[in-house]
């Protein structure tokens, strides 16, 4: 299923696709529909890694569009993997102040991040690595995202 929402979370458009359909090919027609029917030129595309190909990111890099997509740490270049998993240079989301995450208590409920320029063949990105230490089932998890 493809879903577009406005800033208030109201559904603008959606489409369902057969389970055996490649989701990479479903995105552009749905975006074109939203652009033509709603006149939305400014939007942020958010996706998991399944719809995060470089061609889709390039498509969502035009005009006033932007994107946030997940990026598997396993698929990063070695130097970027090292950066993403390094416990230094994190900041607290709530106040943007630097924090040493090795000194944070296990029951801390804060969210921490760091960012780094990241360039691929076609685009300049910013990698954003986040850590949340107090999750119910997973402790000390890392996630890395690419943002424009």
């Amino acid at each position: 299923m493809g879903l577009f929402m406005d800033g208030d979370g109201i559904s603008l458009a959606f489409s369902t696709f057969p389970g055996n359909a490649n989701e990479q090919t479903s995105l552009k027609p749905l975006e074109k529909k939203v652009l033509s029917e709603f006149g939305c030129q400014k939007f942020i595309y958010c996706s998991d890694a399944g719809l995060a190909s470089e061609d889709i990111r390039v498509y969502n890099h035009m005009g006033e569009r932007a994107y946030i997509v997940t990026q598997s740490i396993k698929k990063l270049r070695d130097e970027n993997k090292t950066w993403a998993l390094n416990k230094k240079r994190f900041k607290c989301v709530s106040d943007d102040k630097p924090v040493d995450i090795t000194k944070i208590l296990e029951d801390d409920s804060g969210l921490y991040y760091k960012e780094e320029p990241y360039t691929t063949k076609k685009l300049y990105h910013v990698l954003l690595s986040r850590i949340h230490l107090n999750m119910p089932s997973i402790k000390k998890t890392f996630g890395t995202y690419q943002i424009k």
Side-chain angles (χ1 to χ4, degrees):
M1 181 172 115
L3 172 66
F4 280 82
M5 298 183 298
D6 68 9
D8 295 321
I10 306 296
S11 175
L12 295 176
F14 73 93
S15 293
T16 56
F17 306 97
N20 62 351
N22 181 340
E23 57 186 358
Q24 295 283 331
T25 60
S26 66
L27 177 69
K28 288 181 185 178
L30 188 55
E31 279 193 38
K32 288 177 182 176
K33 178 180 180 179
V34 170
L35 289 169
S36 67
E37 292 184 16
F38 296 96
C40 299
Q41 297 302 317
K42 182 177 183 178
F43 63 84
I44 301 171
Y45 170 74
C46 301
S47 171
D48 64 10
L51 283 171
S53 72
E54 190 152 21
D55 287 338
I56 288 175
R57 287 179 282 171
V58 167
Y59 184 73
N60 283 295
H61 184 62
M62 298 184 290
E64 295 185 75
R65 298 186 217 172
Y67 58 85
I68 300 173
V69 296
T70 59
Q71 170 69 52
S72 167
I73 291 175
K74 292 178 185 178
K75 294 182 180 180
L76 289 172
R77 295 183 296 236
D78 287 342
E79 64 268 17
N80 296 114
K81 283 181 197 175
T82 301
W83 169 83
L85 297 173
N86 188 314
K87 295 181 180 183
K88 296 181 180 178
R89 297 179 36 209
F90 277 88
K91 295 178 185 178
C92 184
V93 169
S94 63
D95 60 14
D96 215 32
K97 290 183 181 177
V99 65
D100 181 350
I101 63 169
T102 62
K103 296 181 180 173
I104 295 172
L105 301 175
E106 285 282 325
D107 63 347
D108 183 279
S109 61
L111 182 61
Y112 306 95
Y113 78 98
K114 62 182 175 177
E115 54 190 341
E116 180 82 8
Y118 180 69
T119 304
T120 60
K121 295 175 185 175
K122 299 178 183 178
L123 290 171
Y124 168 82
H125 314 270
V126 175
L127 277 179
L128 181 69
S129 185
R130 60 108 177 123
I131 184 171
H132 187 276
L133 300 175
N134 189 12
M135 296 182 75
S137 61
I138 304 171
K139 295 289 186 181
K140 295 188 179 182
T141 61
F142 281 87
T144 299
Y145 300 87
Q146 288 186 16
I147 60 173
K148 175 191 167 263

